[in-house]
């Protein structure tokens, strides 16, 4: 199969879908790989590294898209990239379509087959292709939030760890999944006072045991969210409904009553955000102030640590890429129903329940 890896063009997105080591494995399997020139310069991988792995270097994105059938990316196609899409393209990347109707319409109009990393499921119902980036984003959320709490960033001037004789900062994490548990790990490591909320009693019990009782666990209700958010210095939004828009757990009215200079980090912003006051920001302009509260809503947080993120992502996506390239997507889906859950769009129809529901569209199903 002809496989293409274009350079990412989203604002401050430095990741690459396939490092040279991944290219080498695909070449050994008999496939052709085309990589846009300088696609991984920020990661320390040169064009020569890709040539040594067996890739053909293309001088433009157009060349990559025109000569490839399977397109591997990290982030959703940007408006200019959508112009390159064809009906015979298989696009494999993060899509987050439930929060982006214009992109959904462009994909439908192209007739392409679009498979989303974030809706592929594992045997236990987990999200294996989302997990590594959730781990990165969860850990980064505390790092970013701690910085935003500095007065120079218009924060409260609170050090999360505190110092002897001064209480630690209060961190509230909404959601106890991969993002939330990784955020808790870093926040506790900093010495913060950590509370994590979730709607799964089983997950809360796991968190209590896994962190040896060092954090507070609460069942998530409107009342418990209100009480904890009002006391917090840093609130991290870590909720996820696979393939669907994130629920708005914190209203604008509640944000207006938070401590002045408190910080909201919305890791759910890719799916529309879980704070009513959230709107997507970028690494070049990561924050805004509303009701005196600092909002950090960068939609591609792991892009800031691109080398770590790209390698972690490729580790989990490459086996799926090999299935697509070796067998074609229909055969690959037939062998792995969890992989089939990644199909979001095909021949102008929507196959992901969360996306269909978000836009009140008909949900298509593949024939048995």
């Amino acid at each position: 199969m002809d496989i293409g890896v274009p350079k990412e063009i989203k604002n401050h997105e430095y990741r690459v879908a396939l490092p040279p080591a991944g290219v080498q494995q695909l070449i050994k399997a008999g496939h052709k790989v085309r990589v846009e020139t300088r696609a991984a310069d920020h990661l320390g991988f040169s064009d020569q590294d890709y040539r040594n792995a067996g890739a053909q270097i293309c001088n433009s994105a157009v060349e990559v898209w025109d000569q490839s059938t399977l397109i591997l990316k990290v982030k959703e196609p940007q408006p200019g990239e959508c112009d390159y899409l064809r009906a015979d393209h298989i696009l494999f990347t993060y899509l987050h379509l439930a929060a982006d109707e214009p992109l959904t319409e462009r994909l439908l109009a192209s007739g392409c087959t679009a498979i989303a990393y974030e809706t592929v499921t594992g045997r236990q119902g987990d999200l294996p292709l989302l997990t590594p980036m959730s781990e990165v984003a969860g850990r980064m959320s505390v790092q970013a939030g701690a910085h935003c709490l500095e007065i120079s960033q218009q924060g409260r001037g609170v050090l999360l760890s505190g110092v002897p004789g001064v209480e630690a900062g209060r961190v509230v994490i909404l959601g106890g999944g991969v993002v939330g548990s990784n955020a808790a790990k870093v926040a506790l490591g900093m010495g913060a006072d950590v509370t994590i909320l979730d709607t799964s009693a089983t997950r809360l019990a796991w968190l209590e045991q896994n962190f040896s009782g060092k954090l507070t666990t609460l069942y998530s209700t409107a009342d418990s969210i209100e009480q904890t958010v009002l006391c917090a210095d840093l609130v991290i939004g870590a909720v996820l409904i696979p393939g669907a828009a994130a629920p708005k757990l914190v209203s604008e009215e509640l944000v207006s009553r938070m401590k002045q200079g408190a910080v909201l980090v919305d890791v759910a912003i890719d799916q529309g955000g879980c704070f009513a006051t959230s709107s997507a920001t970028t690494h070049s302009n990561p924050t805004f102030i509303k009701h005196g509260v600092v909002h950090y809503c960068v939609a591609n947080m792991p892009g800031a640590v691109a080398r770590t993120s790209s390698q972690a992502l490729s580790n989990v996506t490459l086996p799926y890429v090999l299935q697509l390239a070796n067998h074609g997507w229909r055969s690959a889906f037939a062998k792995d129903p969890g992989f089939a859950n990644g199909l979001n769009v095909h021949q102008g129809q929507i196959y992901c329940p969360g996306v269909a529901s978000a836009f009140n569209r008909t949900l298509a199903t593949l024939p048995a």
Side-chain angles (χ1 to χ4, degrees):
M1 183 176 284
D2 291 310
I3 301 167
V5 182
K7 183 177 181 178
E8 297 295 323
I9 62 172
K10 187 167 184 171
N11 181 282
H12 285 262
E13 181 52 74
Y14 304 117
R15 287 173 289 181
V16 68
L18 199 65
V23 170
Q24 191 173 43
Q25 290 195 49
L26 289 168
I27 296 296
K28 286 182 177 179
H31 306 290
K32 295 180 180 179
V33 181
R34 293 178 175 85
V35 179
E36 185 178 352
T37 184
R38 306 188 68 179
D41 275 5
H42 290 286
L43 284 68
F45 298 130
S46 67
D47 285 354
Q48 191 57 49
D49 291 327
Y50 279 102
R51 288 192 187 96
N52 292 342
Q56 176 184 327
I57 301 300
C58 297
N59 292 322
S60 68
V62 175
E63 188 178 348
V64 174
W65 289 80
D66 279 355
Q67 299 183 31
S68 305
T69 301
L70 173 58
I71 302 293
L72 304 179
K73 282 179 50 59
V74 177
K75 293 302 293 180
E76 69 282 354
Q78 301 303 291
E81 293 177 306
C82 289
D83 294 336
Y84 305 144
L85 282 166
R86 304 188 307 263
D88 65 318
H89 272 144
I90 303 168
L91 176 66
F92 196 26
T93 187
Y94 288 118
L95 289 172
H96 301 291
L97 293 182
D100 194 339
E101 189 169 12
L103 175 59
T104 303
E105 295 294 347
R106 294 291 297 272
L107 294 179
L108 290 170
S110 75
C112 77
T113 300
I115 305 167
Y117 294 153
E118 73 273 9
T119 59
V120 173
T121 58
R123 292 183 178 179
Q124 306 301 320
D126 55 318
L127 303 171
L129 306 190
L130 187 61
T131 293
M133 295 305 95
S134 295
E135 291 170 340
V136 171
R139 296 179 187 207
M140 287 186 69
S141 67
V142 181
Q143 177 178 302
H147 178 62
C148 291
L149 279 168
E150 297 174 14
I151 288 179
S152 62
Q153 305 302 311
Q154 302 185 61
R156 281 176 48 76
V158 170
L159 181 66
L160 286 183
S161 65
V163 292
V166 180
E167 66 180 359
R170 295 182 179 181
V171 177
V172 171
I173 303 169
L174 303 179
V178 177
V179 171
S181 59
N182 276 272
K185 181 177 182 178
V186 173
L188 287 171
M190 286 185 171
D193 179 341
V194 179
T195 298
I196 192 164
L197 294 86
D198 201 279
T199 56
S200 168
T202 301
R203 187 63 179 179
L204 292 173
W206 181 90
L207 290 163
E208 177 77 20
Q209 181 176 11
N210 190 65
F211 288 102
S212 303
K214 294 178 181 178
L215 50 67
T216 299
T217 57
L218 290 176
Y219 190 82
S220 182
T221 64
D223 182 65
S224 62
I225 290 172
E226 178 178 5
Q227 296 304 315
T228 53
V229 164
L230 291 177
C231 295
D233 298 302
L234 168 61
V235 181
I236 296 170
V239 297
L240 173 69
I241 300 175
K248 303 298 184 188
L249 298 182
V250 178
S251 68
E252 183 167 355
E253 188 275 334
L254 181 53
V255 172
S256 72
R257 291 191 285 128
M258 290 177 65
K259 296 177 181 178
Q260 293 293 288
V263 174
L264 296 174
V265 176
D266 200 340
V267 185
I269 194 65
D270 276 323
Q271 294 291 97
C274 62
F275 307 129
T277 47
S278 290
S279 59
T281 60
T282 66
H283 287 290
S284 58
N285 190 21
T287 63
F288 62 89
I289 311 296
K290 191 157 190 178
H291 299 302
V293 176
V294 183
H295 291 62
Y296 181 100
C297 306
V298 175
N300 58 327
M301 290 176 64
V305 287
R307 188 178 179 94
T308 297
S309 297
S310 296
Q311 291 174 318
L313 179 62
S314 181
N315 287 344
V316 294
T317 58
L318 187 58
Y320 291 90
V321 173
L322 282 165
Q323 289 184 54
L324 287 174
N326 290 341
H327 307 294
W329 67 270
R330 289 185 181 276
S331 293
F333 287 178
K335 294 178 180 178
D336 184 351
F339 194 4
N341 290 333
L343 183 64
N344 277 214
V345 169
H346 170 60
Q347 291 184 345
Q349 294 183 292
I350 296 174
Y351 287 80
C352 177
V355 178
S357 176
F359 307 128
N360 195 28
R361 299 286 292 264
T362 299
L363 177 66
T365 57
L366 288 173

